[in-house]
Amino acid sequence: RMMVCGGKGFGKSTMLRYLINSSLNLLPKIVLIDLDIGQPVMNVPNQISCHLVTQPLLGPNFTQLQPPLWSIFIPSVNVEDCMLQYLDALHKLSEICVQDDALKNAPWIINTMGFSRGIGVLLHKAAVKLLRPTNLLLLNSNLSKFKLQNFKENLFGNENFKNTFNLEYFPNEEFPCNIMETMAPIDLFLQTSHNSDQVSSKQLREALEVVYFGGGCRQYTVQIVEDVNFTSCTKNLKRDAVIGLCEAVVCRGFGKIVNISGNLVTLRTPIDIKSMFENSCLILNSIEKQSIKFKSILRISKVNTTRQSGTKRTFWH
């Protein structure tokens, strides 16, 4: 089990793709555990997931969307707003993956967030404790402008974690792990230093949503039912909002609200709700602080239009 850690922009995704693609030359399948809720490798945001990879990963993430084997919904892409939900989802996903027989005979590669300070360190420690990697690949930088994003704390230390959380499902026993530290390539930072040519995280998330809801979607009308076993989120449901479609703790996919009429909600989604939730309860989970605006995708900002009404003009694809 290989876990890849490093600061934002250190090349974790590039390293992860290299590890997966090179391993597929020797093995028929690789297990990808994706713990990045903002920029996942093969899925849309707001979830941590497990994928069984059998084909090389080529191109950006919105070109290789695949339904996961297992997925747990997270209400926000800002982990600071939902830290306890993230820890709980991490615990649930680790339990599911450990018990799944289909994942036992394949190597695991674990993707993490580029959150290397404060809460991010604690969340990385939680992932280490629950997923128990045999190898930890730690990407660092020796450039002064990026040294602040290097991990300073030992990800296997227990004291800071014990003093912060009192959660019984995090084991404290030690286990063998090979820690490999390496320096991120310098040219990577030179390429990303030109902000005018850099695609932002927000633009990548919007591209994922466009591709996810772009084709093969169907419309379904579901009835919201409130009882003692189900808490409805109708107050947070709005037209054009993206919501998680969940069964118990497992996220089965996402839908976009087309219309709301009383307790009837019309959804547009690429998953087959009728067959998937035929004998179970469909739970609608709203995404916090989200705005669906696709105008920033493929933005061309190098336009000198200061003479036009005194404002900058922007072209959209």
Side-chain angles (χ1 to χ4, degrees):
R1 299 179 184 180
M2 169 76 77
M3 178 179 286
V4 182
C5 301
K8 184 179 180 180
F10 276 32
K12 291 189 304 300
S13 297
T14 302
M15 176 63 72
L16 186 110
R17 286 181 173 86
Y18 170 77
L19 292 172
I20 291 177
N21 293 345
S22 58
S23 299
L24 287 175
N25 289 326
L26 305 172
L27 301 168
K29 59 184 179 181
I30 303 293
V31 177
L32 169 62
I33 308 292
D34 200 338
L35 306 181
D36 192 342
I37 58 177
Q39 296 186 61
V41 178
M42 302 176 65
N43 215 343
V44 294
N46 291 98
Q47 58 186 319
I48 58 174
S49 57
C50 171
H51 292 261
L52 198 59
V53 186
T54 58
Q55 297 293 330
L57 303 182
L58 307 173
N61 51 3
F62 58 83
T63 65
Q64 52 201 16
L65 292 180
Q66 293 185 18
L69 286 178
W70 302 104
S71 173
I72 309 295
F73 176 81
I74 307 290
S76 173
V77 294
N78 186 357
V79 73
E80 291 179 306
D81 297 336
C82 55
M83 183 178 61
L84 293 180
Q85 292 99 321
Y86 184 91
L87 286 171
D88 193 46
L90 180 59
H91 172 243
K92 292 173 182 175
L93 182 66
S94 64
E95 275 193 330
I96 292 173
C97 292
V98 169
Q99 296 174 4
D100 191 341
D101 293 335
L103 308 180
K104 291 183 178 179
N105 297 323
W108 292 14
I109 297 181
I110 305 165
N111 183 37
T112 60
M113 299 179 291
F115 197 4
S116 55
R117 286 291 182 270
I119 295 174
V121 176
L122 296 174
L123 297 179
H124 275 80
K125 288 183 178 181
V128 168
K129 290 174 180 295
L130 290 173
L131 296 173
R132 303 171 71 90
T134 55
N135 296 279
L136 192 146
L137 181 58
L138 192 59
L139 297 177
N140 290 321
S141 172
N142 56 3
L143 298 181
S144 58
K145 62 183 294 187
F146 293 102
K147 280 186 176 180
L148 292 177
Q149 297 187 42
N150 290 337
F151 280 95
K152 286 186 177 181
E153 301 181 44
N154 177 14
L155 294 181
F156 289 84
N158 288 325
E159 293 304 320
N160 193 12
F161 192 88
K162 286 180 182 178
N163 295 334
T164 306
F165 299 108
N166 185 21
L167 302 176
E168 59 182 10
Y169 51 68
F170 287 101
N172 290 320
E173 66 270 13
E174 296 182 357
F175 58 93
C177 181
N178 180 31
I179 302 177
M180 301 174 288
E181 295 193 34
T182 184
M183 292 297 173
I186 295 178
D187 60 344
L188 174 69
F189 300 110
L190 296 178
Q191 293 172 12
T192 58
S193 62
H194 304 291
N195 293 328
S196 59
D197 298 331
Q198 187 177 3
V199 180
S200 67
S201 301
K202 181 175 181 292
Q203 289 173 319
L204 287 175
R205 286 195 294 269
E206 291 172 349
L208 283 167
E209 291 175 0
V210 169
V211 174
Y212 187 82
F213 295 108
C217 290
R218 302 179 183 178
Q219 285 195 9
Y220 299 88
T221 299
V222 297
Q223 183 177 5
I224 301 296
V225 179
E226 297 188 33
D227 56 30
V228 293
N229 297 319
F230 177 67
T231 301
S232 174
C233 301
T234 53
K235 294 182 180 179
N236 298 323
L237 299 181
K238 299 178 180 179
R239 187 172 181 177
D240 293 330
V242 175
I243 57 175
L245 308 177
C246 303
E247 178 185 5
V249 299
V250 179
C251 181
R252 298 301 185 186
F254 290 82
K256 182 179 289 188
I257 296 180
V258 178
N259 187 43
I260 301 177
S261 178
N263 63 342
L264 297 178
V265 179
T266 302
L267 304 170
R268 186 170 182 266
T269 177
I271 70 172
D272 188 353
I273 290 181
K274 187 175 181 181
S275 61
M276 188 170 292
F277 296 94
E278 183 177 4
N279 299 316
S280 59
C281 179
L282 167 63
I283 301 176
L284 307 182
N285 287 317
S286 60
I287 296 175
E288 297 176 1
K289 299 180 182 179
Q290 59 125 28
S291 58
I292 308 304
K293 297 179 180 178
F294 300 127
K295 291 185 178 180
S296 62
I297 299 173
L298 302 179
R299 177 174 177 174
I300 305 174
S301 57
K302 293 181 179 180
V303 182
N304 184 9
T305 56
T306 54
R307 296 182 181 179
Q308 299 181 10
S309 304
T311 59
K312 181 177 284 189
R313 181 175 144 200
T314 305
F315 289 134
W316 311 105
H317 179 75

